[in-house]
């Protein structure tokens, strides 16, 4: 695909050819994939003027789609939040059915996750007061999720308590997703050492560094009734465990 050809040219060939394939990738891919170009460390080798043209095009396309400048910032926030989580996998999925061994993998620089989450929260707290809580229809689905993720990952209960009611109100209007509201609600309870009510949170078990089990909850029947009301499947097995993947 064009993404692979772009990376191949960056690594072995011509800057202009790499830029040409980047433009072709942008021509073909959906908007929500285009922003990945800006988070791939392999593009740091591209000439700055060419990279600036890529950035400008992507920003313009976001503005054309959403008619505001905030949606691009919020989608960027999503990938900053996912920098230590899913971003590397997202970048690897930009090309398939090729020979990945021919190009360098998308190895991301090591950053402090807690510090990154804290910085993302600061940005979130400057955005939300200006917009109430951004709605999906106006700013985008992933953009809306990005703000909730930053609240979940920064683990600031004061901020969570403040914005949970706004997110719940959004969910009732179809302008935020219940799935992420329930995660934030349960994370808030976990941080307060209280039983969760939707069953979305897991916790590392005592005596282990990497085995997680479902965090304590109030009542399985009541929890599943709440899950049903927000279209989440019932939990039937509370004894399962998962092993954390090493990064």
């Amino acid at each position: 695909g064009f993404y692979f050809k772009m990376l191949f040219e960056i690594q072995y060939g011509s800057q202009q050819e790499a830029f040409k394939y980047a433009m072709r990738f942008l021509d073909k891919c959906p908007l929500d994939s285009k922003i990945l170009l800006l988070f791939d460390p392999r593009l740091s080798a591209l000439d700055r003027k060419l990279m600036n043209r890529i950035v400008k095009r992507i920003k313009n396309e976001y503005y054309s789609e959403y008619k505001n400048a905030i949606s691009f910032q919020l989608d960027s926030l999503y990938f900053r939040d996912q920098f230590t989580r899913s971003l590397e996998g997202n970048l690897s999925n930009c090309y398939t059915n090729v020979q990945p061994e021919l190009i360098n993998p998308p190895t991301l620089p090591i950053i402090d996750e807690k510090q990154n989450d804290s910085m993302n929260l600061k940005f979130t707290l400057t955005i939300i007061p200006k917009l109430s809580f951004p709605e999906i229809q106006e700013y985008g689905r992933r953009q809306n999720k990005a703000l909730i993720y930053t609240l979940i990952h920064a683990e600031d209960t004061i901020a969570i308590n403040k914005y949970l009611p706004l997110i719940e109100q959004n969910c009732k209007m179809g302008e935020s997703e219940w799935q992420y509201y329930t995660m934030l609600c349960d994370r808030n309870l976990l941080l307060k050492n209280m039983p969760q009510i939707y069953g979305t949170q897991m916790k590392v078990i005592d005596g282990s560094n990497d085995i997680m089990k479902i965090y304590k909850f109030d009542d399985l029947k009541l929890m599943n009734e709440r899950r049903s009301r927000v279209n989440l499947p019932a939990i039937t097995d509370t004894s399962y465990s998962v092993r954390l993947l090493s990064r």
Side-chain angles (χ1 to χ4, degrees), residues 77 80-81 85 112-125 149-151 153-156:
L77 174 67
R80 292 201 303 274
D81 174 80
R85 298 179 172 97
D112 186 287
E113 186 172 84
K114 287 188 177 298
Q115 184 177 15
N116 187 53
D117 289 339
S118 178
M119 291 174 60
N120 291 335
L121 179 65
K122 288 179 181 178
F123 176 80
T124 293
L125 297 182
Y149 270 5
T150 60
L151 291 169
H153 294 146
E155 301 186 337
D156 184 321

Side-chain angles (χ1 to χ4, degrees), residues 182 185-187 189-190 193-203 213-227 234-240:
T182 59
C185 185
D186 280 347
R187 178 61 64 93
L189 293 168
L190 182 153
N193 199 32
M194 298 170 63
Q196 61 179 327
I197 61 175
Y198 290 105
T200 66
Q201 300 297 296
M202 303 187 76
K203 193 172 183 180
K213 297 192 70 173
I214 188 169
Y215 175 65
K216 66 182 179 181
F217 51 88
D218 54 353
D219 178 88
L220 183 60
K221 182 180 178 181
L222 291 176
M223 186 167 71
N224 279 328
E225 288 175 359
R226 296 186 200 104
R227 290 175 65 88
I235 294 175
T236 56
D237 180 9
T238 60
S239 64
Y240 67 94

Side-chain angles (χ1 to χ4, degrees), residues 29-36 62 66 75 79 142:
C29 74
L31 181 60
D32 63 1
S33 295
K34 298 180 182 186
I35 198 169
L36 282 166
Y62 270 81
Y66 295 105
D75 218 14
F79 286 106
R142 191 166 64 192

Side-chain angles (χ1 to χ4, degrees), residues 27-64:
D27 288 339
K28 297 292 185 180
C29 74
L31 181 60
D32 63 1
S33 295
K34 298 180 182 186
I35 198 169
L36 282 166
L37 282 172
L38 310 185
F39 290 89
D40 193 327
R42 293 166 294 188
L43 269 74
S44 62
L46 194 61
D47 178 80
R48 179 168 296 190
K49 290 182 179 179
L50 297 178
M51 193 66 206
N52 286 342
R53 289 171 65 183
I54 293 173
V55 173
K56 184 177 180 180
R57 171 171 171 173
I58 294 172
K59 284 185 175 180
N60 287 341
E61 291 193 28
Y62 270 81
Y63 189 85
S64 177

Side-chain angles (χ1 to χ4, degrees), residues 18-186:
F19 177 73
K20 179 182 74 175
Y21 286 123
M23 291 295 105
R24 290 185 179 179
F25 174 78
L26 294 176
D27 288 339
K28 297 292 185 180
C29 74
L31 181 60
D32 63 1
S33 295
K34 298 180 182 186
I35 198 169
L36 282 166
L37 282 172
L38 310 185
F39 290 89
D40 193 327
R42 293 166 294 188
L43 269 74
S44 62
L46 194 61
D47 178 80
R48 179 168 296 190
K49 290 182 179 179
L50 297 178
M51 193 66 206
N52 286 342
R53 289 171 65 183
I54 293 173
V55 173
K56 184 177 180 180
R57 171 171 171 173
I58 294 172
K59 284 185 175 180
N60 287 341
E61 291 193 28
Y62 270 81
Y63 189 85
S64 177
E65 175 71 18
Y66 295 105
K67 304 300 185 290
N68 66 74
I70 301 296
S71 288
F72 172 79
Q73 296 179 46
L74 295 180
D75 218 14
S76 298
L77 174 67
Y78 174 81
F79 286 106
R80 292 201 303 274
D81 174 80
Q82 293 299 303
F83 196 92
T84 57
R85 298 179 172 97
S86 68
L87 179 57
E88 196 164 304
N90 292 145
L91 293 172
S92 296
N93 290 334
C94 284
Y95 46 87
T96 56
N97 300 322
V98 293
Q99 296 174 280
E101 68 276 4
L102 294 178
I103 58 174
N104 295 327
T107 304
L108 300 172
I110 297 174
I111 64 172
D112 186 287
E113 186 172 84
K114 287 188 177 298
Q115 184 177 15
N116 187 53
D117 289 339
S118 178
M119 291 174 60
N120 291 335
L121 179 65
K122 288 179 181 178
F123 176 80
T124 293
L125 297 182
T126 64
I127 287 289
I128 297 177
K130 300 175 184 176
L131 307 175
S132 183
F133 201 90
E135 298 178 355
I136 288 173
Q137 185 174 4
E138 185 170 2
Y139 295 98
R141 187 170 300 276
R142 191 166 64 192
Q143 291 87 331
N144 183 276
K145 178 170 67 173
L147 292 169
I148 300 176
Y149 270 5
T150 60
L151 291 169
I152 291 172
H153 294 146
E155 301 186 337
D156 184 321
T157 56
I158 295 175
I160 294 173
N161 287 334
K162 183 175 181 179
Y163 294 113
L164 262 178
L166 292 178
I167 299 169
E168 182 180 20
Q169 183 180 346
N170 263 14
C171 288
K172 291 176 179 178
M173 299 186 298
E175 294 295 347
S176 289
E177 295 183 74
W178 285 111
Q179 175 185 354
Y180 305 110
Y181 168 81
T182 59
M183 290 168 61
L184 182 62
C185 185
D186 280 347

